[in-house]
Amino acid sequence: MLILCPSPLSQNTPRMPLLALDLPLVQSCATWIVENAKPARAALGLFNMLKPIRELEIHEIASLDRDARVAMLKRALAGESIGLMSDAGCPGVADPGSEIVAL
């Protein structure tokens, strides 16, 4: 499953930008496709991830060629929960995350 995860617009966000029902889905993702790793790690810190942030598999979108992107999505189709996060807002609308969603 590909999980589209909103990220905070500021690192000073006082609370999590997720609904309580969505949190377990996000926490189940050990693999992430992100726009930029540093702000993604900061955002993931708000979600009380099940694994330490340093143990998550984090890939920047720009570093993945088309074949690597397709391979990641095949993993999602095979049942692995993979998170997709852009730097600000929700992926899929006029940002690099939209390329992953389109695939």
Side-chain angles (χ1 to χ4, degrees):
M1 179 182 332
L2 183 65
I3 312 250
L4 305 183
C5 180
S7 63
L9 295 175
S10 165
Q11 297 306 316
N12 297 322
T13 298
R15 50 179 262 218
M16 221 174 353
L18 290 175
L19 298 173
L21 292 174
D22 295 329
L23 186 58
L25 288 172
V26 170
Q27 291 173 326
S28 73
C29 297
T31 302
W32 287 85
I33 302 170
V34 303
E35 189 171 348
N36 291 295
K38 186 176 180 178
R41 284 186 186 96
L44 290 169
L46 297 173
F47 302 145
N48 301 315
M49 299 300 289
L50 302 177
K51 290 178 103 174
I53 305 296
R54 68 183 174 279
E55 293 180 18
L56 299 175
E57 184 181 333
I58 298 176
H59 302 273
E60 291 188 341
I61 294 170
S63 70
L64 298 172
D65 63 20
R66 188 176 196 293
D67 291 340
R69 294 173 185 192
V70 169
M72 296 284 288
L73 293 173
K74 284 182 180 178
R75 289 170 54 185
L77 288 171
E80 182 178 345
S81 293
I82 295 181
L84 175 62
M85 182 187 298
S86 296
D87 282 353
C90 190
V93 181
D95 63 31
S98 64
E99 298 169 18
I100 303 297
V101 172
L103 285 173

